Amino acid sequence: MTIASIFTKASKTFHSYPSYSKLLLLCTLSGGGVVAYAELQSDSRPPSVDPNEPRRKRVVVLGTGWAGTSFLKDLDALKYDVQVVSPRNYFAFTPLLPSVTCGTVEARSIVEPVRNIIKKRRGEIKFWEAECVKIDPANKKVFCRSSVDANLVGSGDFSLEYDFLVVATGAQVNTFNTPGVKENCHFLKEVEDAQRIRKSVIDCFEKAILPSLTDEERRTNLHFVVVGGGPTGVEFAAELHDYVQEDLIKLYPTVKDIVKITVIQSGDHILNMFDERISTYAEKKFGRDGIEVQTGCRVVKVTDKDITMKVKSTGEVCLVPHGLIVWSTGIGTLPVVRDFMEQIGQVNRKVLQTDEWLRVSGCESVYAIGDCASIHQRKIMDDISSIFKAADNDNSGTLTVKEFQDVVDDIILRYPQLELYLKSKHMLSVTDLWKDPQGVDREEIDIEGFKLALSHVDSQMKTLPATAQVAAQQGAYLARCFNRLEYCEEHPEGPKRFRESGRHVFRPFQYRHLGQFAPLGGKQAAAELPGDWVSMGHSTQWLWYSVYASKQVSWRTRMLVISDWTRRFIFGRDSSRI
């Protein structure tokens, strides 16, 4: 039997049994070794429907980004009638988008079809490739329009009714209404954006080497400007620098000395959301690499030829010629979400406001997760009197240490800023708050003393960043709540209700920061990890490789990304304009 016939039979067997574990054998002919990989896949056939079974509640999910996909992966679809609406039929691993712009990783290596993800779930999940154009909370409907542009018959407009709506649409790039940005800048939010940037970089080099151009025109075409010194902008600048130095100058040697990369940042430092040590390290490394960093500058206008920039400290206005601009300055609200916010009285907010259980304020059956929403954490001082009353079991008008300890776990769970405050003050126990100004322990405390002890706790309230890590944790949390809804309604697991009797049904969402990376090029990266641990250098780059490989949504994308990294190490990046 030939090798080809063996693989043909194996392939037929592999695809003939979708309800069993699949076994993929990779044979190395030279060494005779065998590597086995098993992927457990549940039966993808739709479950049978019992006509006497009560109607399952309809859950409509808008979006297939980090938040939406995380929700779908953990949701028990047997308990609900789940429908998903998204203009993209794939999930993209967005932290690797800067790598796609320079060919370090291929675009298809970081995307996984949504249907591949949902078919592995128990139960049936319906997916519609369409864009939600309007949310009608009064009638519990969403109106959608097909994203398929092909000239096919049939109407692309439809509506869906819901019992629960999960808004996970993400956000769009924030241009701050700067003139000329939409017309003349590249963004880096979607896979298509990264592919366009990749082609434009090659265009700049191909145009610059034409014999008809002057030296000044060549310098302009090869001036790459990144507006925004956050993680995305910094990583793109680092990737582009490596691409130029390791690959492109070998192919375009006549212009190797005139390529320039500039990062424009409105703040005082790049990566200002990281530890100060990382920010300083990144600026010094960019300086050594020849990447110009201009801080304290604000872009006020963009044309196809130059950028108008204003220096904040002096008020000086200057023109910066460019060949390519990548705009990476934050996120803004999508039109459909903005319209929804106007309907529910959140006109003056930048994003949807939710409570600590990710429920949209003012909409009992609508939840919002990911970049489109922000949690409104309740202040402890707003409920201070109710907390005191709930803890004062004997109605004596004073609290003892024991009475306070009986409710302290509920307080910390309901108001997480209390725990952050204790850490910031290096307090070992909540009872340290009871000490008087001289540091002496008190046996009991009255309402005024209680207010004074907790008066500065709310200063530790923080808004969660719009990152993939936050969105993924929110999606997983909300799926767990949906899976346990019936049980927890009968057996509440949340903290004590201080303004009324009983307990909350669920524990509120609590974000657990697992750290963040900042690749800086030259096989170096910086990492900020839990425990105030900062790591920088070559070893951190290898840590970045391992973490990002492990976080891929499927084994398929994991193997593709690793193979792309391997290909790049051996053969370099591809500079073809395709």
Side-chain angles (χ1 to χ4, degrees), residues 490-518:
E490 296 181 4
H491 308 88
E493 64 178 16
K496 181 182 180 67
R497 295 179 184 268
F498 292 109
R499 285 182 171 269
E500 50 194 270
S501 61
R503 308 185 73 86
H504 290 279
V505 177
F506 299 109
R507 298 166 66 95
F509 172 75
Q510 286 188 309
Y511 170 62
R512 183 187 174 198
H513 185 58
L514 302 177
Q516 53 188 344
F517 286 93

Side-chain angles (χ1 to χ4, degrees), residues 252-423:
Y252 306 91
T254 58
V255 294
K256 65 179 182 179
D257 296 326
I258 61 176
V259 180
K260 183 179 180 181
I261 301 173
T262 300
V263 177
I264 300 175
Q265 165 72 340
S266 62
D268 295 331
H269 299 280
I270 60 174
L271 297 178
N272 52 17
M273 70 293 298
F274 280 74
D275 187 280
E276 185 179 350
R277 291 167 288 180
I278 291 179
S279 179
T280 302
Y281 179 83
E283 290 175 354
K284 289 181 178 179
K285 185 181 185 307
F286 274 15
R288 293 193 301 269
D289 291 342
I291 300 175
E292 183 179 359
V293 178
Q294 296 194 8
T295 57
C297 299
R298 185 169 65 90
V299 175
V300 295
K301 184 181 178 181
V302 180
T303 68
D304 59 343
K305 297 291 190 298
D306 50 47
I307 296 173
T308 304
M309 185 176 68
K310 184 177 182 179
V311 182
K312 290 183 177 181
S313 58
T314 63
E316 178 188 359
V317 176
C318 54
L319 296 179
V320 180
H322 64 81
L324 178 145
I325 309 172
V326 173
W327 186 275
S328 176
T329 60
I331 58 174
T333 308
L334 289 167
V336 63
V337 177
R338 174 60 60 189
D339 176 73
F340 176 50
M341 292 169 65
E342 291 175 357
Q343 294 182 61
I344 60 176
Q346 295 191 20
V347 181
N348 297 323
R349 294 190 57 82
K350 294 181 179 180
V351 292
L352 272 171
Q353 176 181 293
T354 72
D355 61 17
E356 297 90 331
W357 292 268
L358 309 182
R359 186 170 45 239
V360 174
S361 302
C363 293
E364 190 68 23
S365 57
V366 181
Y367 297 82
I369 52 180
D371 294 355
C372 66
S374 177
I375 297 174
H376 175 69
Q377 175 62 51
R378 190 168 180 83
K379 294 181 179 180
I380 196 170
M381 293 306 294
D382 290 344
D383 297 331
I384 193 71
S385 298
S386 300
I387 296 172
F388 185 89
K389 184 177 180 180
D392 186 14
N393 292 325
D394 56 4
N395 296 320
S396 63
T398 59
L399 287 186
T400 64
V401 174
K402 184 181 183 309
E403 285 178 325
F404 183 62
Q405 287 177 334
D406 288 342
V407 297
V408 71
D409 289 339
D410 289 311
I411 296 174
I412 291 177
L413 195 58
R414 182 67 180 85
Y415 310 95
Q417 61 265 38
L418 175 57
E419 189 172 15
L420 294 175
Y421 178 76
L422 295 176
K423 289 181 179 179

Side-chain angles (χ1 to χ4, degrees), residues 65-68 70-71 369-371 465-476 511:
W66 281 94
S70 179
F71 175 78
I369 52 180
D371 294 355
T467 63
Q469 189 176 160
V470 172
Q473 290 187 29
Q474 288 180 341
Y511 170 62

Side-chain angles (χ1 to χ4, degrees), residues 135-148:
I135 300 172
D136 183 1
N139 298 305
K140 291 192 172 183
K141 277 187 177 183
V142 292
F143 296 88
C144 309
R145 181 173 298 131
S146 173
S147 299
V148 180

